């Protein structure tokens, strides 16, 4: 892939020749340039860390097997910086962005971003930060993983900054759509739906890019919760109806274990739980199961999931211990649905940008209107 990429650059080298120099650091030109440099640097660091265990020990990280936390410690700040540049870039102009012009462009997006950030901060304070404190206080493997990522002020501060950046991307992008619709209503007399439709129709590449930006902002929020504030409880319970498991916002009441023999000789053991929230409201029934594959003498764990807008509850039944207890793994994964929603929006944006457009033919040697 590296050789193919280099050949492609050589063959198309004239297409990559810059027609203009970067006039100012406060311009779209500079923002695109810095993001490209940041991605190249990130790729180089990732490649180096990936092969570091095979390198001589006198090199940094040489001869060492690195944990996932090492990659997270590098990826998180770099990813937030990349998204910050993405948030600011659409508000800049080509060439040079004057201070007065930038303040005019950022005024309304900044006001709305503060409001959105306040909502994100509420989610952080009520849903995410308590998980961090609870996990640290409980000790164990999960607490060690969290502590290894740095002091609490840095770990949680990084999450807050990322939420701020996500709010900025959301508001800046929505503002650009609103501004475009407003301009078409004023100049063309179009209704709001028609103006929005024409924006996507006539500028599908730019509009698709903005939709992708919205997806990235939602993904960023989802990743903060689903990668930094996961709560996991491994517990053994007695095989008695009515036994409960408590984890964060949920109470799981055990209803019994059922074994089913399939025609192919495999056996499925299913544990049934009724799930309640912390207010006592019943949310539904979960049936995680463990399948014994007789032909390969292996086990297959099938998790049961309850999905909510702010979190997903995963329950895994891992079998019976030597002393007759049921081994359960209960995990609360905050904001994971936001990742899937943002990813879907990202794909929609890419699809919109890839829609081929037809250009009007030139008439009498004149350039046709491409509006």
């Amino acid at each position: 892939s590296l050789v193919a990429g280099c050949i492609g650059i050589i063959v198309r080298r004239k297409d990559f020749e810059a027609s203009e120099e970067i006039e100012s650091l406060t311009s779209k030109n500079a923002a695109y340039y810095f993001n490209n440099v940041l991605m190249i640097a990130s790729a180089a660091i990732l490649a180096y860390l990936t092969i570091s265990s095979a390198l001589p020990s006198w090199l940094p990280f040489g001869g060492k097997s690195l944990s996932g936390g090492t990659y997270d410690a590098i990826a998180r700040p770099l990813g937030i910086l990349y998204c910050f540049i993405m948030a600011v870039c659409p508000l800049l102009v080509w060439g040079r962005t004057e201070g007065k012009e930038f303040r005019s462009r950022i005024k309304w997006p900044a006001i709305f971003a503060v409001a959105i950030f306040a909502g994100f901060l509420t989610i952080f304070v009520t849903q995410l930060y308590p998980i961090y404190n609870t996990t640290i206080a409980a000790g164990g493997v999960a607490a060690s993983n969290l502590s290894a990522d740095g002091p609490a002020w840095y770990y949680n501060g990084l999450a807050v900054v990322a939420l701020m950046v996500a709010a900025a991307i959301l508001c800046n992008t929505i503002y650009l759509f609103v501004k475009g619709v407003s301009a078409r209503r004023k100049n063309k007399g179009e209704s709001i739906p028609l103006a929005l439709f024409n924006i996507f129709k006539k500028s599908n590449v730019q509009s698709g890019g903005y939709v992708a930006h919205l997806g990235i902002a939602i993904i960023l929020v989802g990743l903060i919760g689903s990668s930094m504030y996961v709560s996991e409880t491994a517990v053994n319970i007695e095989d008695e109806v009515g036994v409960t498991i408590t984890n964060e916002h949920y109470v799981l009441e055990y209803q019994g274990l059922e074994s089913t023999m399939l025609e192919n000789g495999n056996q499925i053991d299913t544990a049934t739980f009724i799930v309640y929230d912390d207010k006592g409201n019943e949310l539904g029934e979960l049936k995680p199961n463990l399948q014994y594959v007789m032909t390969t003498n292996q086990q297959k764990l099938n998790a049961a999931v309850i999905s909510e807008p702010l979190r997903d509850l995963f329950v895994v039944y891992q079998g019976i211990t030597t002393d007759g207890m049921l081994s359960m793994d209960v995990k609360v994964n905050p904001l994971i649905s936001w990742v899937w929603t943002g990813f879907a929006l990202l794909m929609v944006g890419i699809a919109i940008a890839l829609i081929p457009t037809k250009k009007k033919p030139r008439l009498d040697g004149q350039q046709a209107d491409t509006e």
Side-chain angles (χ1 to χ4, degrees):
S1 60
L2 181 62
V3 172
C6 292
I7 293 175
I9 291 175
I10 294 172
V11 171
R12 300 182 56 197
R13 61 187 181 278
K14 292 185 178 181
D15 296 336
F16 293 100
E17 292 179 357
S19 58
E20 298 179 1
E21 295 182 355
I22 296 178
E23 180 181 344
S24 170
L25 295 179
T26 57
S27 65
K28 282 190 178 181
N29 315 57
Y32 282 123
Y33 174 78
F34 286 130
N35 259 359
N36 288 339
V37 170
L38 184 61
M39 292 303 292
I40 292 172
S42 300
I45 294 172
L46 175 63
Y48 178 81
L49 294 179
T50 302
I51 64 173
S52 62
S53 60
L55 298 177
S57 58
W58 52 269
L59 289 173
F61 302 105
K64 298 179 180 179
S65 295
L66 304 177
S67 66
T70 303
Y71 294 92
D72 290 340
I74 295 172
R76 284 169 182 159
L78 289 178
I80 292 171
L81 178 59
Y82 181 88
C83 289
F84 172 75
I85 298 175
M86 180 188 299
V88 175
C89 181
L91 299 176
L92 303 176
V93 299
W94 300 105
R96 179 187 295 272
T97 306
E98 300 297 337
K100 183 178 180 180
E101 182 180 13
F102 180 72
R103 288 192 295 271
S104 175
R105 285 169 169 259
I106 202 175
K107 177 183 177 181
W108 288 109
I111 292 174
F112 288 111
V114 170
I116 296 296
F117 173 64
F120 287 162
L121 198 58
T122 301
I123 294 176
F124 173 79
V125 172
T126 59
Q127 306 292 329
L128 303 182
Y129 187 69
I131 293 178
Y132 181 90
N133 282 342
T134 302
T135 309
I136 290 294
V141 177
S144 299
N145 289 339
L146 288 174
S147 301
D149 287 316
W153 65 266
Y154 172 77
Y155 190 87
N156 294 296
L158 201 62
V160 171
V161 171
L163 291 174
M164 189 184 305
V165 170
I169 297 175
L170 281 172
C171 292
N172 291 352
T173 307
I174 294 174
Y175 169 75
L176 292 172
F177 278 119
V178 172
K179 185 178 179 182
V181 169
S182 177
R184 291 198 67 90
R185 291 192 68 193
K186 180 179 179 181
N187 299 329
K188 305 285 187 180
E190 299 173 347
S191 64
I192 293 178
L194 180 60
L196 188 60
F197 173 79
N198 284 328
I199 287 175
F200 279 96
K201 179 181 178 181
K202 298 178 182 296
S203 303
N204 65 299
V205 174
Q206 187 177 35
S207 300
Y210 288 158
V211 172
H213 281 195
L214 291 175
I216 290 174
I218 296 173
I219 289 173
L220 179 58
V221 176
L223 286 177
I224 293 167
S226 62
S227 69
M228 297 178 68
Y229 294 93
V230 177
S231 172
E232 186 170 3
T233 302
V235 61
N236 296 333
I237 62 172
E238 296 181 358
D239 187 7
E240 295 182 4
V241 176
V243 174
T244 59
I245 303 174
T246 302
N247 182 292
E248 297 303 326
H249 303 275
Y250 303 98
V251 176
L252 289 77
E253 183 178 328
Y254 178 63
Q255 300 297 304
L257 183 68
E258 180 182 0
S259 294
T260 304
M261 188 65 67
L262 304 180
E263 294 181 357
N264 58 6
N266 295 345
Q267 178 180 329
I268 297 180
D269 291 347
T270 303
T272 301
F273 292 88
I274 295 178
V275 182
Y276 302 89
D277 62 16
D278 51 5
K279 297 179 181 179
N281 300 314
E282 183 176 335
L283 300 178
E285 191 176 65
L286 286 180
K287 293 187 175 185
N289 64 68
L290 171 62
Q291 181 175 353
Y292 297 92
V293 182
M294 299 304 176
T295 55
T296 60
N297 197 28
Q298 292 180 332
Q299 298 179 354
K300 180 181 178 182
L301 305 177
N302 297 309
V305 183
I306 285 183
S307 296
E308 296 186 286
L310 293 180
R311 69 189 74 86
D312 281 14
L313 172 66
F314 294 82
V315 180
V316 179
Y317 168 54
Q318 302 184 99
I320 300 176
T321 64
T322 54
D323 55 356
M325 305 285 281
L326 274 62
S327 178
M328 306 299 305
D329 187 25
V330 181
K331 179 185 293 185
V332 176
N333 202 339
L335 305 179
I336 185 65
S337 60
W338 289 48
V339 176
W340 299 116
T341 302
F343 182 77
L345 201 58
L346 176 62
M347 293 298 100
V348 169
I350 293 174
I352 293 173
L354 291 176
I355 295 175
T357 57
K358 294 182 179 180
K359 293 184 178 181
K360 294 180 180 180
R362 296 184 180 184
L363 302 176
D364 299 328
Q366 299 291 326
Q367 173 66 45
D369 181 15
T370 58
E371 183 186 4

